Amino acid sequence: MRLLDCTIRDGSYAVDFKWTQEDVAKIITRLERLRFEYIEIGHGLGLNASSSKYGFSLLSDLEYMNIARANLKKSKYGFFCIPNIANLDDIKKAKDNGVSFLRVGINADTPDLAVPYIREAKKQGLEVMTNYMKSYAVSCNDFVKAAFIASDNGADAVYIVDSAGCMVADDIKRIYDAVKNTSDIKLGFHGHNNIGLAVSNSLLCAQLGFDFIDCTFQGLGRSIGNASSEQLIMSLKKYDFCKDVDIPCLLEWGYDSIRNVIPEKCIYHPLDLICGYTGFHSSFLKDIYKCCNEKHVDPMRLIIAYCEKNRLSMDYELLCKCADSLRKDNDENPYSFRKYFSDNYND
């Protein structure tokens, strides 16, 4: 199972497609350091979408590609592509500028429209996924037929896309079973969070054996947003997936990358997230703050270390011993402890 990050692409809706060069470079560099193999960039509607009709992007497709090429060493970068918005010529330009994968997005009831784009992308040597948008609006049989059309024309994977964030576990499992009973094509899932199930649905997909699952920093994306990378990866680690991801870095970098993009009341604070991951009661956070000021250690790593010893109560002496076992952390962190406490505590 591979996680595909689409913070830049799907998250561009939240910034009116106005990511800056600095934004893109910072986010994709952090994603690579977090071991994301697939990173999707570009306008929310993909190649050639920047226009008065769909919204002007601050950066051109070529500028996105140049930033990725200059900053990524190992991760693959790719673009979304919607037939009749993108042109076939755009696919060759993408390949010539280092793009490794293309995701052809088409409504699930019109799979034939994707065929020329799949064929051209494969001709150019790209890895191709076909994203069947609004997957919930067609029957399982029709989705299977669409999957065969994609596979027969060279697509490497097909995606179940919960465009409205309306699907529940049974919906996903029915489509998964129908496809796997008839085909060996790889499967991906792209979930939106409109009824709060993006993370749980994505976790289900990992357990079922999906090959690709999408997520974004802080769940940034169109409408309410996507599956939060932070919440999904913390959940996955409890099931032995994503073993190599550094959770404190994930939480800090996601928070720092997005906190100036969306209203603060809508953002997940790293301290709240780490409490859920470790089983640390938030009433003990003031002790963490005090100890970190005394010992100069990272608060999230201290919470993790302490919870390996005690999750029931606060033993400040034990907390300090845990802090002494950690390396000094003199970096400025973005957590804003004082504001966190003033927002969350009455005293």
Side-chain angles (χ1 to χ4, degrees), residues 17-32:
F17 316 115
K18 300 300 187 291
W19 290 120
T20 66
Q21 292 186 30
E22 292 76 15
D23 291 330
V24 175
K26 178 171 69 173
I27 290 171
I28 66 174
T29 300
R30 287 172 166 178
L31 288 166
E32 183 170 69

Side-chain angles (χ1 to χ4, degrees), residues 36-60:
F36 278 85
E37 184 179 347
Y38 291 82
I39 300 172
E40 190 175 59
I41 57 176
H43 189 288
L45 290 165
L47 289 168
N48 199 44
S50 180
S51 62
S52 59
K53 182 174 182 180
Y54 301 112
F56 284 107
S57 178
L58 188 63
L59 302 173
S60 68

